[in-house]
Amino acid sequence: MVGFLVCRGKMASPSKKAKKPITKVFNDPIHGSIELHPLLIKIIDTPQFQRLRFIKQLGGVYFVYPGASHNRFEHSIGVGYLAGKLAEDLRSRQPELEISDEDVLCVQIAGLCHDLGHGPFSHLYDGMFLPKALEKKEEMRRNGELGEEEKLEEWKHEKGSCDMLDHLVRQNDLKPEMEKYGLIPEDDITFIKEMIAGPLQESKEQEDEKGYCDIINTLVELIDLEKVMMEKYEVDPEDVKNIKEMIAGQKSKSKKEQSKLEQEMKEKYELNPEDVKFIQEKIAEDKKWPYKGRKEEKSFLYEIVSNKKNGVDVDKFDYLARDSSYLGIKNNFDFHRFLQFARVCKVDGRKTICTRDKEEDNMYDLFYTRHRLHKRACQHRVSQILQEMIAEAFVKADGHIEIEGSEGSAGSEGTIGSKGSRGLFTLSTAFKNMETYTKLTDNVFEEILNSSRPELQEAKKILQDIVSRKIYKFVGERKPKDPIEDWKSQKYGWKIGLARPLPNGESKLKLDDFEILVINMDYGMKDKNPVEHMHFYSKKEPDVAKPMSTENASRIRTTIFSEQLIKVFCKKIDEQSVEAAKKHFEQWLEMEPNLDGSEEAREILQDIASGKRHKFVGETKPKETIKNWKSRITGWKKGLAPPNGKSNLTPEDFEILVINMDYGMKDKNPVEHMHFYSKYEPDVAKPMSIENASRIGTTIYSEQLIRVFCKKIDDEKSVEAARQHFEQWKFKM
């Protein structure tokens, strides 16, 4: 651990004369000199946290961007620092919030530990590898090759962070250290985990026991449900039980009993199941506080590290600044301004972190920068296919790499791996045992690459191809007009379509020779605008926060917040196969009109692919440049197809292109805007004088071309008629 001791820590409560703890200073490349509390140092110096030194922050992006060499380790320290800074800023700005030293420390620990659960190559492990491993095991189970004991559940790194935090505290006996600084481990660890992963789920048994009726039971405690039902829906109070049973459905009654109850409610009150659902939704607008670590008056603390409402949190602040710096990509967002203007205001009865109204543009910069990072680096087509290849190699190696974990211990920590009582786990089961998971880092890449074991040779070959840059070749991509939600179920069918034989039979590419990546890029909330989910206060009313009104919102901003890219690659990288794959791709597009957004778009692409283009009719050069030509296009098309014309051509059958060509400054001579010096006066520059300027030179520097095309390309008579229309029209312009 690099650092040195300095005096001053700001953990003592103002009401106590407690000795201030000695902190350590780190020289961070992004945030400069930062101080960390002694308890954070204790956490950092554990094997579980040190493991993050060996997990790349951007995963396989490092194979494309040489600068992307930073790890989860330094990012986590940065988030811990920023989390504490935001909490301290709010405390000094608004003492009435009663943010305690323990609150600040818990927020710092949450920021520090929020990424403990990441696996090899960060998001590649839980976002790409585990789904592939799950799909493979499901297929093996369907074929009878696996039993139910080998079942692999879906899992996300946030849960791993919570499990690893429990393991870290237990293995390093940190509870006494936490108590030393005023924390209550049982309560505050819950609070920290809730800040990382949201409300902690109850056990499956508890959920099944309670069923959906708990929703109504909770709501009855919050408001006078009987009064609402009596006044608004004219339902007797004793029928609350029936309403609950209807909502609970088959969890409380058989289909026959449920149907009978629904019929009774319909006859008695004209109340359908849809009406019951409506009642449930309307009443549920005021939800019960879901967290246990802190009471509702400190709801804003849950927005600091991982903001589930709009994504504005210190995790994003750090990785945008850090990733941009290491990638060499400009970061337009200034998180210092957010820290400066952050205030807690009450919104819909709950305290939330807000910012000044004048900061709207800065918030758009936040999400725009995130989008640009994803587009240029994280979702870069080479980055993506490299990570896909790594995930594929890990799937082939899964089951052949054994990692020893804790043996015979109880609970989630003691889950025995697929190899039995020895406590051995595979790549896809390591997350079930935190002792095992602590040993799993990016180093597994090197382990496979340098292995001589026969069962790892397939995986090794893929990784060898990566390091020697023999990667799958990009064939083409499409952006569907409307995102395809069920693309996972369609992917196999798409591959079948791609492998369809070409008309001339020249290609022998098969289904497995293609790889399809579907990438969804957005501002963090799918097709929604996250800034619309933020609240802003004004200088005049600093304690009143509202969404940005349409009148005050910036007129210059993004209106579409998501797009989907479907990228196709060929696994055979020789030139002949790649060229054939491109033809397969074009053929496939003709069979998949949804990929181009509409049937009309598909027809246009088909025409382009078959060489059918709008027919050139003629062009004219106006003597003087027409500056307002855009407003005249519609009139020109009507003039090209007058109603009394002898042909059947309509204005829609014509396409007009206006091309302006010049020397770069419209009708001006750019050389006249330059300055020249002479051999005798090298420090004196002037425009070229008329006397010294060349006599042989251009005098007109711009021209405009108006070109007309006919869209009816299969009808020679129409094209010939269009030419006659053009000749008449150009003299009337």
Side-chain angles (χ1 to χ4, degrees):
M1 178 54 55
V2 179
F4 57 88
L5 299 177
V6 296
C7 293
R8 301 292 173 215
K10 202 173 181 180
M11 293 309 305
S13 150
S15 60
K16 299 177 182 178
K17 296 289 184 179
K19 185 179 179 181
K20 294 180 180 179
I22 297 176
T23 62
K24 270 192 177 181
V25 171
F26 290 81
N27 184 23
D28 184 76
I30 304 303
H31 307 301
S33 295
I34 61 178
E35 293 185 40
L36 295 181
H37 186 276
L39 183 55
L40 303 186
I41 304 302
K42 289 280 186 182
I43 294 172
I44 290 171
D45 286 341
T46 63
Q48 292 75 25
F49 192 90
Q50 290 291 314
R51 164 183 178 271
L52 298 180
R53 287 183 182 273
F54 310 106
I55 296 178
K56 287 284 182 290
Q57 167 83 359
L58 295 178
V61 175
Y62 182 45
F63 289 99
V64 179
Y65 283 82
S69 58
H70 54 306
N71 303 302
R72 289 281 160 184
F73 180 81
E74 49 264 41
H75 164 63
S76 296
I77 291 175
V79 177
Y81 162 72
L82 286 181
K85 191 169 190 326
L86 178 52
E88 288 284 14
D89 286 353
L90 291 173
R91 173 156 73 169
S92 63
R93 200 170 294 136
Q94 296 176 271
E96 68 275 10
L97 297 174
E98 297 183 349
I99 300 174
S100 68
D101 292 343
E102 291 75 24
D103 291 336
V104 175
L105 186 52
C106 286
V107 167
Q108 288 176 312
I109 295 173
L112 190 70
C113 298
H114 79 289
D115 275 348
L116 284 176
H118 270 297
F121 294 92
S122 293
H123 292 286
L124 183 149
Y125 181 77
D126 62 330
M128 299 176 79
F129 162 64
L130 283 184
K132 281 178 173 287
L134 176 62
E135 185 180 339
K136 182 180 178 181
K137 289 201 173 188
E138 288 298 328
E139 184 180 348
M140 293 174 69
R141 188 175 293 106
R142 287 194 297 269
N143 296 335
E145 300 174 44
L146 282 181
E148 287 301 315
E149 69 277 2
E150 292 288 339
K151 190 172 183 180
L152 183 68
E153 67 268 21
E154 292 185 4
W155 179 86
K156 292 296 181 184
H157 76 271
E158 290 87 356
K159 183 181 185 305
S161 295
C162 294
D163 292 343
M164 186 64 83
L165 177 61
D166 285 334
H167 180 66
L168 181 154
V169 171
R170 182 170 52 253
Q171 289 296 107
N172 299 280
D173 194 24
L174 287 185
K175 286 187 178 180
E177 195 71 23
M178 296 177 73
E179 292 169 350
K180 175 181 172 182
Y181 295 104
L183 301 187
I184 304 172
E186 288 72 21
D187 295 337
D188 287 325
I189 289 176
T190 297
F191 175 42
I192 291 165
K193 291 195 292 184
E194 287 176 335
M195 284 192 283
I196 293 171
L200 301 179
Q201 295 292 323
E202 297 185 74
S203 68
K204 186 72 168 64
E205 293 76 14
Q206 287 173 310
E207 283 185 15
D208 290 341
E209 183 179 352
K210 288 183 175 182
Y212 288 107
C213 289
D214 254 8
I215 298 171
I216 299 301
N217 286 334
T218 298
L219 296 173
V220 170
E221 295 172 6
L222 291 172
I223 64 170
D224 188 350
L225 179 62
E226 295 181 3
K227 184 178 178 182
V228 172
M229 297 180 74
M230 282 285 289
E231 293 180 356
K232 191 168 183 178
Y233 298 99
E234 298 182 354
V235 179
D236 294 335
E238 56 267 23
D239 283 317
V240 172
K241 181 181 177 182
N242 288 338
I243 296 289
K244 290 195 294 184
E245 288 178 341
M246 285 183 67
I247 294 173
Q250 295 182 29
K251 287 184 177 289
S252 61
K253 288 185 175 290
S254 66
K255 282 186 178 180
K256 187 175 181 181
E257 289 175 316
Q258 174 72 6
S259 178
K260 183 179 178 181
L261 177 59
E262 290 176 0
Q263 185 64 30
E264 180 183 337
M265 297 300 290
K266 184 175 182 180
E267 291 175 357
K268 190 173 182 180
Y269 301 108
E270 298 184 354
L271 197 63
N272 294 317
E274 291 78 11
D275 298 319
V276 176
K277 185 178 180 182
F278 174 71
I279 295 171
Q280 177 192 9
E281 289 173 346
K282 296 307 289 181
I283 299 172
E285 288 176 359
D286 187 10
K287 296 180 181 178
K288 186 177 179 182
W289 179 240
Y291 298 98
K292 296 179 180 179
R294 289 295 185 273
K295 293 182 179 178
E296 192 171 359
E297 55 261 29
K298 292 193 175 179
S299 56
F300 59 92
L301 293 176
Y302 288 94
E303 300 173 6
I304 293 177
V305 175
S306 179
N307 192 334
K308 304 295 188 294
K309 292 172 64 177
N310 51 43
V312 180
D313 50 49
V314 296
D315 176 29
K316 198 172 271 84
F317 295 175
D318 184 86
Y319 80 64
L320 289 183
R322 197 172 301 275
D323 294 354
S324 296
S325 176
Y326 280 91
L327 290 168
I329 295 174
K330 184 175 176 56
N331 176 19
N332 293 319
F333 173 66
D334 184 358
F335 69 81
H336 295 100
R337 288 186 65 86
F338 184 89
L339 297 178
Q340 180 183 0
F341 290 108
R343 281 187 65 84
V344 172
C345 301
K346 197 168 249 189
V347 177
D348 298 329
R350 220 168 253 172
K351 292 178 182 177
T352 188
I353 298 176
C354 308
T355 191
R356 268 290 301 276
D357 47 9
K358 67 178 182 178
E359 290 301 294
E360 183 198 17
D361 286 340
N362 193 33
M363 303 321 298
Y364 274 109
D365 284 341
L366 166 69
F367 295 105
Y368 176 76
T369 300
R370 176 190 179 276
H371 170 66
R372 293 300 297 167
L373 276 175
H374 274 265
K375 192 163 188 174
R376 292 185 59 185
C378 305
Q379 307 288 5
H380 185 281
R381 70 188 188 198
V382 180
S383 299
Q384 279 291 300
I385 199 60
L386 279 168
Q387 297 196 107
E388 189 75 15
M389 291 174 72
I390 294 171
E392 188 178 335
F394 284 179
V395 170
K396 291 184 180 297
D398 190 29
H400 304 302
I401 291 181
E402 299 174 351
I403 311 168
E404 189 174 358
S406 56
E407 189 172 348
S409 52
S412 61
E413 287 287 324
T415 307
I416 300 302
S418 59
K419 297 296 180 180
S421 60
R422 291 177 297 158
L424 296 177
F425 293 78
T426 65
L427 291 179
S428 63
T429 60
F431 66 85
K432 296 181 179 181
N433 182 283
M434 288 298 109
E435 185 175 323
T436 304
Y437 200 52
T438 303
K439 303 170 186 176
L440 187 60
T441 66
D442 291 0
N443 291 338
V444 69
F445 185 101
E446 296 291 327
E447 183 180 344
I448 297 170
L449 186 64
N450 298 324
S451 175
S452 58
R453 294 166 57 189
E455 59 268 29
L456 289 175
Q457 291 310 297
E458 276 190 89
K460 179 178 179 178
K461 174 64 169 61
I462 294 173
L463 300 188
Q464 284 177 330
D465 287 344
I466 289 173
V467 296
S468 58
R469 304 300 287 182
K470 295 178 181 178
I471 59 177
Y472 303 159
K473 295 294 184 181
F474 177 70
V475 171
E477 74 175 18
R478 273 296 173 269
K479 296 179 183 177
K481 184 177 181 181
D482 298 311
I484 300 170
E485 298 292 337
D486 62 336
W487 61 267
K488 289 183 180 179
S489 63
Q490 297 192 46
K491 197 172 179 181
Y492 185 77
W494 288 345
K495 284 190 176 183
I496 293 175
L498 281 164
R500 182 183 175 189
L502 296 174
N504 55 16
E506 65 184 40
S507 168
K508 295 183 179 180
L509 292 175
K510 301 175 182 177
L511 181 146
D512 291 337
D513 294 326
F514 293 94
E515 186 60 67
I516 301 175
L517 299 184
V518 179
I519 298 167
N520 294 302
M521 289 191 290
D522 53 50
Y523 269 33
M525 294 185 71
K526 296 185 177 179
D527 58 346
K528 297 178 182 177
N529 176 4
V531 179
E532 289 181 354
H533 288 73
M534 293 185 63
H535 290 77
F536 300 84
Y537 66 87
S538 66
K539 185 176 181 180
K540 293 181 179 179
E541 294 182 293
D543 295 321
V544 178
K546 304 174 184 176
M548 184 61 67
S549 65
T550 306
E551 298 76 25
N552 295 328
S554 173
R555 301 291 189 272
I556 304 173
R557 62 176 181 178
T558 304
T559 55
I560 298 174
F561 298 92
S562 67
E563 68 177 353
Q564 189 178 64
L565 303 179
I566 300 175
K567 299 184 178 183
V568 177
F569 297 81
C570 180
K571 295 183 179 180
K572 289 186 175 180
I573 61 175
D574 61 281
E575 288 186 13
Q576 188 176 355
S577 295
V578 174
E579 282 304 311
K582 289 178 180 177
K583 294 178 181 177
H584 277 266
F585 177 74
E586 294 297 332
Q587 175 180 268
W588 174 62
L589 287 181
E590 295 177 11
M591 300 185 295
E592 295 288 343
N594 288 339
L595 298 180
D596 296 309
S598 67
E599 182 66 24
E600 186 180 359
R602 184 181 71 84
E603 291 175 358
I604 293 172
L605 287 175
Q606 282 180 325
D607 287 344
I608 293 173
S610 59
K612 296 180 180 179
R613 289 158 177 74
H614 298 165
K615 295 294 184 181
F616 178 69
V617 171
E619 74 176 19
T620 182
K621 297 179 183 179
K623 187 175 181 180
E624 294 182 0
T625 300
I626 301 171
K627 294 183 179 181
N628 62 339
W629 60 268
K630 290 183 181 179
S631 63
R632 301 174 70 173
I633 289 285
T634 302
W636 287 347
K637 286 185 177 182
K638 290 180 180 179
L640 281 162
N644 56 355
K646 295 180 181 180
S647 69
N648 294 323
L649 292 173
T650 65
E652 287 73 28
D653 293 325
F654 291 92
E655 187 61 68
I656 301 175
L657 300 183
V658 179
I659 301 168
N660 294 301
M661 294 187 290
D662 54 50
Y663 270 37
M665 292 186 70
K666 296 185 178 179
D667 56 349
K668 297 178 182 178
N669 177 5
V671 178
E672 290 181 354
H673 292 260
M674 293 180 63
H675 288 73
F676 302 84
Y677 66 86
S678 68
K679 180 179 179 180
Y680 303 104
E681 292 182 294
D683 297 324
V684 179
K686 304 174 183 177
M688 184 63 66
S689 64
I690 297 175
E691 297 77 20
N692 295 329
S694 172
R695 299 292 189 275
I696 303 172
T698 304
T699 56
I700 298 175
Y701 299 93
S702 67
E703 68 175 352
Q704 189 175 63
L705 303 179
I706 300 176
R707 290 175 175 167
V708 179
F709 297 81
C710 179
K711 294 182 181 180
K712 288 191 173 182
I713 57 179
D714 296 324
D715 183 358
E716 290 185 8
K717 290 184 178 179
S718 294
V719 175
E720 189 57 39
R723 291 193 175 114
Q724 295 175 9
H725 280 263
F726 171 76
E727 291 299 325
Q728 294 176 0
W729 170 78
K730 73 176 183 179
F731 289 110
K732 297 177 182 178
M733 281 188 63

